[in-house]
Amino acid sequence: MGKVTGFMEYGRLEEGYAPVKTRLKNWKEFVIGLSAADSKTQAARCMDCGTPFCHNGCPINNVIPDFNDLIYREQWRQALEVLHSTNNFPEFTGRVCPAPCEAACTLNVNDDAVGIKSIEHAIIDRGWMEGWIQPQAATHKTGKKVAVVGSGPAGLAAAQQLARAGHEVTVFEKNSRIGGLLRYGIPDFKMEKSHIDRRVEQMKAEGVTFRTQTLVGALPKEGPGAKVTNDATVVVSPEQLQAEFDAVLLTGGAETPRDLPAPGRDLAGIHFAMEFLPQQNKVNAGDKLKDQLRAEGQHVVVIGGGDTGSDCVGTSNRHGAASVTQFELMPQPPQVENRPLTWPYWPLKLRTSSSHDEGCERVFSIATKSFNPGTGKDKGRIKSLTTVQLEWQGSKFKEVPGTEKEWPADLVLLAMGFTAPLQTVLDSFGVARDARGNAAAAPDGAQAYATTVPGVFVAGDMRRGQSLVVWAIREGRQAAAAIHASLVGGGAAA
């Protein structure tokens, strides 16, 4: 694979970033991808390792050594075909996937992994630039109709696979634009939405119908899930879908955010991340919003140390926040992972995002005790919060006496993950749930991805819980294969 001795001759090449001062002035992507020559050099590092653990590290089982070898041999179009054989949307994963394939790279045992993600990024961007990516409309129609509810990566991947297999596919989306959390949860500086738009145009040419601002089922009227983005002007009942379509696939995601019921939680100025992030994406797209949540001039505290919290940090910095602090309940991970212990699995180590580099104080092993109001005209607003440091004792956290601290906070963003899909949607279809509140569905076999309701399938975060874009694509492809088999028998749509 690649050059036989390449892994000994060449070091890892990282993609570049635009300077912080430059990128904070706009909402554009700022990653500088590898050149064709650097991509070839990086691909040359791929080892003839016999057992490519990167295959299993990648949830969609990208054929990584093969496209690396093709890039080393400068056969870009063939590399694109190999990449597309397992991944419908490499432009999404090449930008926002954390690259578990690289953690599993054999070279990563005692060296720096091959830059698989950067090579994937280079392949797909060149494919679009050269005009190699064209609609692949089915040559034979099955006469079967499938409804896909939700237009995130799982729904889009399933819809494309099913349309290419000859089914008539309609995607229902409650918001005004297609993309789900790709559209409304990921900031534009990480992934510009033009990447979604051109895939939607490709899928339309392949026969997929998109119905936006259409809510299927119901949303909760109160509680955390009541604040999800929803531009729907039309409501369609599950009974209508089941009568009109031969199969229904639910890919609505896990949209119920985890709350923090500390004293003072009802103060103004405390918001879920998914109240904050979608607003800026909508403004970037040209929408006019009344009373947009803005961070300029404010002391911002982000509670939650994951990717969503990092996105809140980057967005707050672009707004011009006075300060940004990010809290994480868990202890600070080590700077370098214990490779002999963790390889080829995803390692525990400190991960510093580009947003953190733009300006952020990160605090670990910390818990919020209370949200504190201001006085006078700010009596009903958050002005500070009180925290305590934690330490791990036995099997649970213990508060460290004497470590209470008050932090200034004009805007608090809760980014602690998501607990489950919106139950009202599942309940409206009568779908059974598992112990975690996700839709119960068969994991494999002849009934894979089928729910307890005949003809209704489920995929993505709604089935497995909150996860990665790449897992959603995998689920969408496999659910499409299961639906195809149930409708026409035999071969899969994947």
Side-chain angles (χ1 to χ4, degrees):
M1 294 300 145
K3 187 177 182 181
V4 174
T5 57
F7 70 96
M8 296 186 291
E9 298 177 33
Y10 308 120
R12 178 181 169 95
L13 296 173
E14 298 285 355
E15 294 180 314
Y17 291 158
V20 170
K21 289 184 178 180
T22 300
R23 68 192 196 226
L24 284 179
K25 296 177 181 178
N26 58 67
W27 298 93
K28 300 294 185 181
E29 292 179 10
F30 53 82
V31 173
I32 303 170
L34 298 184
S35 66
D38 285 345
S39 297
K40 177 178 178 177
T41 300
Q42 188 61 200
R45 301 182 68 235
C46 189
M47 305 168 67
D48 187 8
C49 58
T51 303
F53 287 90
C54 56
H55 278 264
N56 280 341
C58 174
I60 49 178
N61 306 124
N62 278 337
V63 194
I64 294 163
D66 291 41
F67 68 64
N68 281 342
D69 184 55
L70 289 165
I71 292 304
Y72 174 68
R73 300 178 189 280
E74 302 183 65
Q75 297 175 5
W76 285 80
R77 188 159 190 171
Q78 293 90 329
L80 178 65
E81 292 174 0
V82 170
L83 182 54
H84 266 149
S85 69
T86 56
N87 187 351
N88 295 68
F89 313 120
E91 62 270 45
F92 304 163
T93 54
R95 286 169 167 79
V96 301
C97 182
C101 55
E102 294 186 11
C105 175
T106 302
L107 189 55
N108 195 49
V109 171
N110 60 358
D111 200 348
D112 294 327
V114 175
I116 300 167
K117 179 180 174 180
S118 61
I119 294 171
E120 178 179 321
H121 188 179
I123 293 171
I124 189 61
D125 280 9
R126 180 160 180 178
W128 282 109
M129 181 182 67
E130 298 284 358
W132 294 335
I133 302 171
Q134 297 295 326
Q136 300 177 34
T139 57
H140 172 73
K141 297 294 185 179
T142 64
K144 301 293 185 179
K145 299 172 65 176
V146 182
V148 177
V149 180
S151 69
L156 291 178
Q160 186 167 65
Q161 292 298 104
L162 289 164
R164 290 177 176 179
H167 304 295
E168 184 179 335
V169 182
T170 302
V171 176
F172 294 84
E173 169 58 51
K174 67 180 182 292
N175 289 302
S176 58
R177 295 181 177 87
I178 295 298
L181 286 186
L182 285 171
R183 172 78 64 179
Y184 293 108
I186 297 175
D188 288 0
F189 58 79
K190 287 178 66 174
M191 191 186 83
E192 294 176 19
K193 303 310 177 271
S194 58
H195 303 299
I196 303 173
D197 296 336
R198 61 188 177 189
R199 280 296 182 183
V200 169
E201 291 306 309
Q202 180 196 36
M203 293 172 66
K204 286 180 179 178
E206 293 172 348
V208 178
T209 299
F210 292 94
R211 290 180 56 179
T212 56
Q213 294 183 281
T214 303
L215 175 65
V216 176
L219 291 179
K221 295 181 179 180
E222 58 184 21
K227 297 183 179 182
V228 301
T229 57
N230 175 29
D231 304 326
T233 58
V234 176
V235 178
V236 177
S237 71
E239 292 77 15
Q240 287 175 273
L241 284 194
Q242 290 168 300
E244 183 180 349
F245 293 89
D246 298 291
V248 177
L249 175 62
L250 305 178
T251 62
E255 294 187 282
T256 306
R258 183 174 284 106
D259 208 346
L260 183 56
R265 171 62 181 88
D266 58 346
L267 292 171
I270 305 173
H271 300 274
F272 293 112
M274 287 306 297
E275 295 176 71
F276 178 67
L277 295 174
Q279 289 191 3
Q280 185 59 56
N281 286 3
K282 288 186 174 186
V283 169
N284 292 346
D287 292 354
K288 303 296 183 182
L289 297 186
K290 184 180 179 181
D291 300 325
Q292 180 194 354
L293 294 176
R294 300 280 302 179
E296 63 259 55
Q298 300 189 66
H299 296 290
V300 179
V301 175
V302 179
I303 300 179
D307 287 341
T308 303
S310 172
D311 293 343
C312 290
V313 170
T315 300
S316 297
N317 281 325
R318 281 162 180 75
H319 282 176
S323 68
V324 182
T325 307
Q326 186 177 23
F327 291 165
E328 169 55 54
L329 195 68
M330 302 298 292
Q332 180 172 326
Q335 293 279 352
V336 179
E337 71 270 33
N338 186 337
R339 293 183 183 180
L341 178 66
T342 60
W343 181 89
Y345 302 108
W346 187 246
L348 176 66
K349 68 175 181 179
L350 181 66
R351 302 178 191 278
T352 300
S353 73
S354 58
S355 291
H356 295 139
D357 289 336
E358 293 164 0
C360 173
E361 180 182 0
R362 303 170 73 183
V363 186
F364 295 86
S365 299
I366 190 168
T368 300
K369 297 286 289 182
S370 67
F371 301 103
N372 309 318
T375 58
K377 65 177 182 178
D378 293 327
K379 185 177 181 180
R381 289 194 58 84
I382 180 77
K383 292 305 291 182
S384 69
L385 48 77
T386 301
T387 64
V388 65
Q389 292 296 131
L390 303 174
E391 63 181 5
W392 187 256
Q393 291 185 359
S395 59
K396 59 183 178 180
F397 285 112
K398 297 283 188 179
E399 295 183 2
V400 180
T403 61
E404 289 79 5
K405 181 177 178 178
E406 188 170 352
W407 303 75
D410 305 304
L411 176 64
V412 176
L413 300 172
L414 305 180
M416 302 176 294
F418 302 85
T419 60
L422 298 177
Q423 302 303 344
T424 50
V425 176
L426 296 179
D427 292 345
S428 65
F429 276 91
V431 171
R433 303 192 296 268
D434 63 19
R436 296 187 299 161
N438 300 321
D444 50 31
Q447 297 299 313
Y449 296 88
T451 70
T452 52
V453 179
V456 178
F457 296 76
V458 64
D461 291 2
M462 192 169 258
R463 188 186 79 95
R464 64 177 287 114
Q466 62 164 335
S467 192
L468 305 175
V469 168
V470 67
W471 269 109
I473 294 173
R474 171 196 172 108
E475 294 253 322
R477 289 174 63 92
Q478 292 190 340
I483 292 170
H484 180 74
S486 74
L487 293 178
V488 301

